[in-house]
Amino acid sequence: MRRSILRIAPIFLVAISIIGTSWRSVEIENKQQSIITTAKDSIYNLYVSNIYHQTKLDSAGLSETVFEKALTGFYNLRYSGLNSSKSILTIADFDQESCKKRFYIIDLQENKLLLNTWVAHGQNSGGDKPDCFSNTPNSNQSSLGFYVTGEVYNGKHGRSLKLDGMDLGFNDKARERAIVLHGANYVSQGTIDQLGRLGRSQGCPAVSSKLANQIIDMISGRSVLFINNSDQNYNSQFLNETLAASMVSNQQEVFAAKMD
């Protein structure tokens, strides 16, 4: 019996050694992966900040936090193949009052703010500053989240742009609700002077009638629109910063390879 134990003991010790080495290897690999992920996240945060300041979004009234959310969604949607290769990102920031120019169209390829203007929210979402949002038909409220721009058509508001909501439970009923981008006369300085705020829509992100055609031309073609309100219980599968950081890292590696 003792001899059997003596024969088994070295095998057991070798096995323990192999297992211990394996555990250490896994631990080292996990630490290395964590360091890589942290580095990518840091590079991504710097990338976001650089674009934010180059486009002068700070002086235009948009917070860097909101821009980072929108940009993260842009890259997540691109990874999923849901938007086109168009470099246009549009943000409607409903953290701000309607009398402020809270609609931003950004060219991410040129790092340029193309347009900063007014946008209306739904009549049942609130007065000057919206605080209620819904995905429910006939609610006359705005819906938060990421959209991809659809077809251009002529309707009761003239030339308009259909929107596809990407966030389940938050805006995926945009088609059913006929939530579109269109021009409206109540989106103007005159309305603000008269009412102290913009007029309100039935849930659509309505823009100035004078700018509607220009805006539609800029953002049509399956580009990304993000409607934000930070006070709401909004979450999205497209806010994965690690994935966005990886896409930016890969994009920069491809660019560097082309330059060599």
Side-chain angles (χ1 to χ4, degrees):
M1 179 69 176
R2 183 176 295 177
R3 288 179 182 176
S4 298
I5 293 173
L6 290 174
R7 283 198 298 270
I8 293 171
I11 298 172
F12 179 74
L13 291 173
V14 170
I16 290 294
S17 176
I18 292 171
I19 292 171
T21 302
S22 177
W23 282 345
R24 284 194 295 274
S25 297
V26 170
E27 185 179 356
I28 291 170
E29 185 178 339
N30 287 341
K31 284 183 178 178
Q32 289 174 337
Q33 187 60 48
S34 178
I35 290 169
I36 291 169
T37 299
T38 301
K40 283 185 177 180
D41 288 346
S42 297
I43 292 169
Y44 180 65
N45 291 336
L46 181 60
Y47 174 80
V48 171
S49 186
N50 283 341
I51 296 177
Y52 176 74
H53 291 292
Q54 283 183 43
T55 52
K56 297 180 172 58
L57 289 168
D58 47 350
S59 59
L62 184 70
S63 79
E64 188 169 343
T65 300
V66 174
F67 175 64
E68 184 170 354
K69 282 197 294 184
L71 190 62
T72 298
F74 173 89
Y75 281 113
N76 276 259
L77 284 161
R78 176 156 292 180
Y79 176 83
S80 302
L82 294 171
N83 63 322
S84 70
S85 59
K86 200 166 185 176
S87 62
I88 300 300
L89 171 62
T90 306
I91 304 169
D93 182 21
F94 287 165
D95 282 349
Q96 302 180 51
E97 295 85 357
S98 70
C99 58
K100 294 183 178 179
K101 293 184 176 181
R102 55 186 181 173
F103 192 77
Y104 307 83
I105 303 177
I106 304 152
D107 186 334
L108 297 174
Q109 185 171 333
E110 300 295 331
N111 289 346
K112 183 178 180 181
L113 178 59
L114 299 178
L115 188 66
N116 177 209
T117 188
W118 296 293
V119 62
H121 56 261
Q123 61 189 25
N124 287 338
S125 282
D128 190 20
K129 185 176 180 180
D131 56 12
C132 296
F133 302 90
S134 176
N135 193 35
T136 304
N138 302 315
S139 65
N140 290 344
Q141 293 184 12
S142 298
S143 299
L144 300 177
F146 291 100
Y147 296 80
V148 171
T149 60
E151 312 93 281
V152 178
Y153 73 101
N154 284 295
K156 65 180 181 179
H157 298 289
R159 191 162 177 257
S160 305
L161 182 63
K162 292 186 178 181
L163 302 172
D164 290 304
M166 298 289 108
D167 285 313
L168 185 64
F170 289 95
N171 64 11
D172 59 303
K173 293 184 179 178
R175 287 271 179 167
E176 181 183 347
R177 297 182 61 204
I179 300 299
V180 302
L181 184 140
H182 64 79
N185 292 330
Y186 53 74
V187 181
S188 66
Q189 184 63 57
T191 304
I192 293 173
D193 293 341
Q194 183 180 359
L195 301 178
R197 59 167 172 78
L198 290 182
R200 294 165 300 176
S201 68
Q202 292 182 316
C204 298
V207 296
S208 166
S209 295
K210 295 179 180 179
L211 294 175
N213 281 334
Q214 180 185 354
I215 290 171
I216 289 169
D217 288 340
M218 282 181 177
I219 72 173
S220 60
R222 300 202 64 74
S223 72
V224 176
L225 162 66
F226 178 56
I227 296 181
N228 172 74
N229 185 276
S230 303
D231 295 334
Q232 301 301 306
N233 186 27
Y234 165 75
N235 57 78
S236 174
Q237 63 176 317
F238 302 112
L239 291 176
N240 184 336
E241 284 200 4
T242 301
L243 177 59
S246 294
M247 288 204 67
V248 169
S249 177
N250 293 338
Q251 176 180 284
Q252 291 178 336
E253 287 173 6
V254 169
F255 178 75
K258 288 180 178 179
M259 294 296 289
D260 290 341

